[in-house]
Amino acid sequence: MNQICELLFLAALFGAAAADWKKRVIPDRYPAALFLLGGIAMMMDIWHRLNLLEALEGMAAASLPLFLTALLVRGSFGGGDIKLMAAAGFCVGVRQGFLGLFWGLLGAAAWGTVLLAAKKRNKKEAIPLGPFLALGLAAAEICLYF
């Protein structure tokens, strides 16, 4: 059952990543699927065995930095990115949620730097963050097994 939850988690993440890369929008169905997965896994006591408080803490740790930045810096992060991180944090908890956020932002910054250096984009153009958040979260989940 644990592997099924992991596969569903990754499928929702990469569905959101593909949608964001293609259309620059993360449909609400992906964060909703993650919240549903986390809730079912919590009620059935499978996967990471998070209790409700740990899931809510993970939700806050993963999404609050994006939300506060979006409030302070206009246009910095989209609502889909914030919802995706909240839902993923609800599933995986504080450590993996924050680690996934960190790695996702680090990957996005590296990609943006490469694009700027190659003169493919200017500083004002946004890049889709969803794919990088998905990769960061997937990497954080894989780290659980090592």
Side-chain angles (χ1 to χ4, degrees):
M1 197 67 166
N2 196 13
Q3 291 83 7
I4 293 171
C5 286
E6 290 288 348
L7 288 174
L8 290 172
F9 179 74
L10 293 173
L13 284 179
F14 288 107
D20 197 25
W21 189 264
K22 186 175 181 181
K23 296 184 179 181
R24 306 270 180 146
V25 172
I26 298 175
D28 287 341
R29 66 178 168 264
Y30 296 110
L34 289 172
F35 274 121
L36 184 63
L37 175 65
I40 290 170
M42 190 184 328
M43 287 188 292
M44 294 178 66
D45 197 28
I46 54 174
W47 204 10
H48 296 298
R49 293 180 176 81
L50 295 175
N51 63 38
L52 181 59
L53 181 60
E54 291 167 334
L56 293 173
E57 289 171 344
M59 184 175 80
S63 65
L64 200 56
L66 295 179
F67 179 71
L68 293 175
T69 304
L71 287 177
L72 297 172
V73 181
R74 189 170 192 228
S76 57
F77 298 108
D81 299 322
I82 297 167
K83 289 183 276 188
L84 181 67
M85 285 308 298
F90 184 80
C91 289
V92 299
V94 172
R95 184 172 178 258
Q96 270 67 37
F98 197 72
L99 191 59
L101 174 63
F102 174 75
W103 283 346
L105 291 175
L106 191 64
W111 179 251
T113 302
V114 167
L115 291 176
L116 283 173
K119 303 207 187 278
K120 298 284 184 181
R121 291 202 189 238
N122 64 40
K123 289 182 182 181
K124 301 268 183 195
E125 290 180 277
I127 61 171
L129 187 58
F132 298 99
L133 294 176
L135 286 171
L137 287 161
E141 275 300 292
I142 290 169
C143 285
L144 281 177
Y145 298 105
F146 296 103

